[in-house]
Amino acid sequence: RYFNFFFLNSNIDRSNMSSDTVINGSLIKDKDGSKLKSDSVEDKSSHLNSGSGENEGDKKKVTKLYSRPSFKKDKIDAHYDRWIPFSYFTFFLGDYSIAERGGRRIQFVRQWRLWKHFADFFPAKIIKTCDYDPKKNYIFGYHPHGILSAGGFVHFATEGTGFSKLFPGLKPHLLVLGGHFLLPLYRDFFLSGGAVSASRKSISYLLGNGHQGRALALVVGGAPESLDCHPDKVTLHLSKRKGFCKLALLHGASLVPTFSFGENSVYEQYPNPPGTRLRTIQDALQKVIGLAPCIFIGRGIFQYSFGIVPFRKPINTVFGAPIDVQKVENPTSEQICALHKTYVDAVVKLYNDYKDQFAEFPQTPINIV
């Protein structure tokens, strides 16, 4: 009965029918209470009843509503909402490991004019200090992490700041947590910009196999560093981060220190010094979910005191001189520690050389933890 009501009676304009309308009965009223005019419908009813073999005098005048259903079209439409997610899920299963196999960058997406506007919002700029040989591979260490690493995204995952024009021959990739590639659709958007997983397997794939001109951007401090990002402080988590130095030695990739002045200023974070209850909870959650649960505040769209939109603070990222690394098949701990010390010293020097020119608080010392 319900199928007949909704599908066989599809030619009735129900917007003009009130709640007391009776279907297949003798009373059909419209909104103002008058009898619904449906002569053609009554004609169809009488035509159907005329072939029943009954006396016309004994027949009761009953209004029937009837139309020819399009079963094929209804069945196809009803399955659209099933086949689309099923097809994407099948594609996702086969494409699951693409983030560890070089990704799937789309240059057209990287060149969207939207990214130019995004860079001009802060504005974000690349401060070039030297050229890089396109025949070599590089690991760019991005510091500091910031709340969202807005500078790292616009520099390496888009052409908003003109990376390819400033460094021709280099192919940039932004290294991020693998959890970003578990979210449907979002992962495809992120992959199109050249983002890949920050796992060892992913880095080895990009630096190996005879590839040249690869520029891998790694936010070395990771999620824990974002909990220490405040506008008036410079705290870098570098002391225990040595894995990228080992990979550089294994593949002979040069290390490039970078420092992004203003990255910590685009958001203000609620005070959470180490040892407080809030920081203890944040550290515990970060270890479980992998992402840092920062409590931050930005600006609004029509006001500047509260919201999630970042503040319009300049982000000037200085790209330092490369540290050439010789390939070592089995690097020792001494070699790794020596390269790590050289890199940390280069980051500190880069900050001290340019803090008076770009830092909002140039008197703030850099702290390596």
Side-chain angles (χ1 to χ4, degrees):
R1 293 180 58 187
Y2 292 107
F3 177 84
N4 291 334
F5 177 80
F6 285 105
F7 290 88
L8 301 185
N9 301 329
S10 59
N11 64 334
I12 298 299
D13 185 6
R14 294 178 178 81
S15 62
N16 295 325
M17 299 175 65
S18 61
S19 59
D20 61 348
T21 303
V22 178
I23 304 298
N24 292 333
S26 59
L27 179 62
I28 301 180
K29 296 182 180 180
D30 57 11
K31 292 182 178 179
D32 58 1
S34 59
K35 185 176 181 180
L36 185 67
K37 297 179 180 181
S38 56
D39 297 338
S40 60
V41 174
E42 292 181 1
D43 292 339
K44 292 181 180 180
S45 173
S46 59
H47 174 72
L48 293 173
N49 294 334
S50 60
S52 59
E54 299 178 1
N55 294 330
E56 295 182 357
D58 297 332
K59 292 179 181 178
K60 294 183 179 179
K61 190 175 182 180
V62 179
T63 302
K64 294 183 179 293
L65 305 177
Y66 173 80
S67 65
R68 184 183 300 274
S70 55
F71 292 103
K72 184 176 182 181
K73 181 177 182 301
D74 292 338
K75 289 183 178 180
I76 295 177
D77 291 343
H79 290 83
Y80 278 165
D81 58 341
R82 299 179 184 178
W83 282 106
I84 292 177
F86 177 77
S87 300
Y88 182 84
F89 179 71
T90 304
F91 164 77
F92 176 80
L93 292 179
D95 196 58
Y96 176 77
S97 61
I98 190 66
E100 294 184 341
R101 293 184 285 107
R104 186 174 54 250
R105 58 187 290 133
I106 302 175
Q107 192 65 18
F108 169 74
V109 177
R110 288 178 55 88
Q111 295 176 342
W112 280 353
R113 191 169 181 82
L114 169 67
W115 308 130
K116 178 62 176 176
H117 294 303
F118 178 75
D120 293 340
F121 173 82
F122 297 101
K125 298 179 180 179
I126 293 177
I127 309 301
K128 180 180 178 181
T129 61
C130 63
D131 293 322
Y132 305 117
D133 187 358
K135 295 182 180 180
K136 295 182 178 180
N137 292 324
Y138 299 90
I139 297 179
F140 288 76
Y142 185 84
H143 311 278
H145 184 285
I147 300 297
L148 296 178
S149 293
F153 171 79
V154 72
H155 294 328
F156 296 98
T158 76
E159 293 295 336
T161 53
F163 182 94
S164 297
K165 294 181 179 180
L166 292 173
F167 309 106
L170 295 185
K171 191 174 183 179
H173 292 274
L174 180 63
L175 304 176
V176 298
L177 290 175
H180 288 281
F181 305 104
L182 298 178
L183 303 176
L185 300 181
Y186 168 78
R187 65 184 296 272
D188 302 289
F189 167 74
F190 215 10
L191 286 167
S192 64
V196 293
S197 174
S199 66
R200 178 177 179 176
K201 180 180 179 181
S202 174
I203 297 175
S204 298
Y205 180 90
L206 292 171
L207 297 179
N209 301 323
H211 294 152
Q212 293 181 347
R214 300 296 177 124
L216 311 185
L218 176 65
V219 186
V220 182
E225 188 176 278
S226 62
L227 294 174
D228 287 320
C229 292
H230 299 275
D232 57 343
K233 296 180 181 180
V234 181
T235 303
L236 304 184
H237 289 233
L238 263 176
S239 297
K240 299 180 180 180
R241 306 273 174 162
K242 301 179 182 180
F244 70 102
C245 294
K246 182 178 180 179
L247 289 172
L249 288 168
L250 285 171
H251 300 282
S254 300
L255 295 179
V256 180
T258 68
F259 196 93
S260 191
F261 294 92
E263 184 68 62
N264 285 351
S265 301
V266 297
Y267 284 107
E268 293 182 359
Q269 186 171 190
Y270 188 84
N272 58 342
T276 60
R277 180 177 298 179
L278 174 60
R279 183 57 176 271
T280 302
I281 296 174
Q282 289 177 323
D283 290 338
L285 290 176
Q286 187 273 322
K287 292 179 181 179
V288 174
I289 64 177
L291 301 176
C294 301
I295 302 178
F296 60 90
I297 185 174
R299 51 163 283 185
I301 299 178
F302 302 107
Q303 45 81 27
Y304 301 94
S305 58
F306 180 82
I308 61 174
V309 180
F311 294 110
R312 300 191 66 179
K313 298 293 184 69
I315 301 178
N316 296 293
T317 306
V318 182
F319 283 45
I323 302 172
D324 292 331
V325 179
Q326 297 296 326
K327 184 176 181 179
V328 180
E329 293 184 1
N330 296 305
T332 63
S333 58
E334 290 79 10
Q335 292 173 318
I336 296 174
C337 291
L339 180 59
H340 180 265
K341 184 179 184 305
T342 303
Y343 177 82
V344 173
D345 292 342
V347 173
V348 174
K349 184 179 184 301
L350 190 67
Y351 172 78
N352 292 328
D353 290 346
Y354 290 92
K355 65 179 182 180
D356 293 331
Q357 184 177 355
F358 298 113
E360 184 177 2
F361 302 95
Q363 71 280 5
T364 303
I366 187 172
N367 183 26
I368 306 296
V369 297

